[in-house]
Amino acid sequence: MYRRPFKLTRTYAFSLSAAILACSGIAHHSHAQQDGLNADPHRADATLVEIMDAIVMPAADTLWNAVTVEMTADGDIEKVPETDEEWAKLRRAAEQLAQSAEMIAVPGRTLEPVGTEHPEYELNTAQMTALVEAKWSDWLADANTLHDAAMQSIQMIDARNVSGLSIVGGDLDAACESCHQQFWYPSN
């Protein structure tokens, strides 16, 4: 079982509100399109950090935690999805991850809300924004890699392939780390 080691742990009090904002932005966008109020199909209302906290991290954690092995004095205890409900939960997480990759690729998205920077271990927002703008094709490639890993997860989930799901977890981790190392904390 592959378990992603987190280099950083970020918690934000606004995670729940970010999810609400993201959903309300999507709903607002849908109604505006129907009413002809906004011809631009892309809306960048939620920041990247809000998308990461509200959608990407919870969905990725769900997939990474789908297959685990706990070592105990009595032997190893393997946890794998077994019920239809458990597999459905995993599929929803993979679908959310695939859709979040598309949200990440929307041009002009603000990266972080004001006051949430952590200069002790990450670039500041201006530096990140400059990197994204200068390396837009790399940014899109990373978003596409995340999307591809999510779609591979869906294939493994639909096939109920436990070992394949574990392997794809490593691909998902690589997709995340590739982007983080280039755009979030490249000097660490």
Side-chain angles (χ1 to χ4, degrees), residues 161-183:
N161 183 336
V162 172
S163 62
L165 187 58
S166 289
I167 292 167
V168 173
D171 296 341
L172 177 58
D173 178 62
C176 294
E177 280 302 305
S178 173
C179 182
H180 294 175
Q181 288 177 353
Q182 186 169 4
F183 297 105

Side-chain angles (χ1 to χ4, degrees), residues 114 120 125 167 179:
V114 175
E120 63 275 13
T125 301
I167 292 167
C179 182

Side-chain angles (χ1 to χ4, degrees), residues 109-137:
R109 185 172 304 286
T110 301
L111 299 180
E112 290 188 291
V114 175
T116 62
E117 297 175 341
H118 300 278
E120 63 275 13
Y121 55 77
E122 70 183 25
L123 299 175
N124 66 42
T125 301
Q127 291 169 313
M128 283 189 262
T129 301
L131 272 174
V132 170
E133 289 173 359
K135 298 180 176 187
W136 183 250
S137 61

Side-chain angles (χ1 to χ4, degrees), residues 27 84 145 172:
D84 290 343
T145 301
L172 177 58

Side-chain angles (χ1 to χ4, degrees), residues 5-65:
F6 278 93
K7 181 172 185 174
L8 302 173
T9 300
R10 297 180 65 161
T11 56
Y12 293 97
F14 60 82
S15 290
L16 180 58
S17 62
I20 294 167
L21 282 173
C23 291
S24 67
I26 293 167
H28 171 75
H29 170 65
S30 175
H31 292 293
Q33 286 291 6
Q34 292 172 358
D35 296 340
L37 299 175
N38 184 3
D40 183 2
H42 304 291
R43 300 283 298 241
D45 298 330
T47 69
L48 178 67
V49 168
E50 291 168 335
I51 293 167
M52 295 296 291
D53 284 347
I55 304 168
V56 175
M57 289 175 61
D61 282 343
T62 297
L63 294 172
W64 284 321
N65 292 323

